[in-house]
């Protein structure tokens, strides 16, 4: 089912730790995660892991996806090589398909103008301000933010668990008490939350 396919952008210097919770739990709950790169060649993450992408950006269309995930990477701030991923995010948002961006990917979206009118967060406000974007008034001091129309999720680099929580809420992976319990277990190490998840 295309509605269950989630596309994960991968590129050199991809920040490994930022989407582990998200992709693992999506896969465990019936979603298929497909990796997407600019080209068909393998990419190497910040942690030195080589990934052979499933698809290229040209292969991916919003109507075939439930969500596009963009992670941080050094390349967001050192070159314009990842700009095509921000442009793909624009296509997703314009088609009404959600996008989730964490860490440096938020700066890429800011440069593309996608945060000018949407509630969002990132590492710190001045990190995004340095991009010259016009969305400063919509910046939120929060671990992770889903904008008002539910299409854009953003988070800073230290919040992979909060990022995952917002994705799960958006895609209906966990809801209500179970969503809260998942977050308490993985963010707060609250062992009592495990029983709620297993019920």
């Amino acid at each position: 089912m295309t509605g269950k396919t989630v596309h994960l952008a991968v590129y050199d210097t991809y920040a490994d730790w930022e989407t582990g919770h998200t992709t693992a739990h999506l896969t465990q709950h019936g979603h298929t995660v497909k990796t997407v790169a600019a080209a068909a060649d393998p990419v190497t993450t910040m942690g030195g892991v080589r990934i052979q992408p499933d698809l290229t950006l040209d292969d991916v269309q919003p109507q075939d996806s439930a969500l596009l995930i963009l992670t941080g990477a050094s390349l967001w701030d050192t070159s314009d090589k990842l700009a095509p991923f921000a442009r793909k995010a624009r296509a997703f948002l314009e088609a009404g398909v959600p996008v989730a961006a964490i860490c440096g990917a938020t700066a890429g979206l800011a440069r593309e103008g996608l945060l000018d009118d949407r509630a969002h967060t990132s590492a710190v406000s001045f990190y995004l301000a340095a991009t010259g974007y016009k969305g400063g008034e919509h910046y939120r001091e929060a671990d992770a933010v889903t904008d008002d129309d539910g299409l854009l999720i953003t988070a800073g680099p230290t919040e992979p668990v909060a990022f995952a929580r917002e994705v799960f809420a958006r895609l209906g992976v966990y809801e209500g008490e179970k969503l809260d319990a998942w977050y308490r277990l993985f963010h707060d190490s609250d062992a009592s939350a495990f029983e709620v998840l297993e019920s």
Side-chain angles (χ1 to χ4, degrees):
M1 292 175 57
T2 56
K4 291 284 192 176
T5 300
V6 170
H7 291 94
L8 171 67
V10 294
Y11 21 72
D12 288 334
T13 72
Y14 163 103
D16 308 60
W17 67 93
E18 293 176 346
T19 60
H21 290 289
T22 303
T23 55
H25 288 269
L26 287 174
T27 300
Q28 291 172 22
H29 288 84
H31 288 79
T32 298
V33 176
K34 296 283 188 182
T35 53
V36 182
D41 303 319
V43 298
T44 304
T45 72
M46 200 175 289
V49 177
R50 285 172 57 84
I51 297 174
Q52 177 63 56
D54 297 310
L55 303 163
T56 68
L57 271 178
D58 290 341
D59 296 327
V60 177
Q61 301 304 319
Q63 64 268 24
D64 299 325
S65 185
L67 174 73
L68 174 64
I69 302 173
L70 300 172
T71 70
S74 302
L75 287 176
W76 283 112
D77 297 318
T78 58
S79 76
D80 62 358
K81 288 183 179 178
L82 302 186
F85 291 91
R87 290 194 292 273
K88 183 62 75 170
R90 175 181 293 281
F92 268 63
L93 293 172
E94 289 177 349
V97 180
V99 172
I102 185 169
C103 187
T106 61
L109 298 189
R111 292 184 190 98
E112 181 66 17
L114 297 176
L115 304 185
D116 289 351
D117 302 306
R118 297 174 178 273
H120 61 275
T121 193
S122 184
V124 287
S125 60
F126 56 81
Y127 169 63
L128 291 186
T131 69
Y133 87 131
K134 301 178 177 68
E137 66 184 284
H138 301 291
Y139 188 89
R140 304 289 180 263
E141 293 288 350
D143 293 343
V145 170
T146 298
D147 72 339
D148 293 339
D149 64 9
L151 286 181
L152 181 65
I153 296 165
T154 50
T158 61
E159 299 300 335
V161 178
F163 181 69
R165 177 192 60 199
E166 298 301 301
V167 169
F168 299 158
R170 180 63 180 82
L171 297 184
V173 173
Y174 295 111
E175 297 175 324
E177 186 180 47
K178 288 204 172 183
L179 181 64
D180 176 67
W182 184 89
Y183 184 74
R184 286 189 292 111
L185 180 63
F186 287 95
H187 188 267
D188 304 327
S189 301
D190 181 351
S192 69
F194 184 77
E195 186 176 342
V196 178
L197 280 175
E198 292 300 298
S199 65

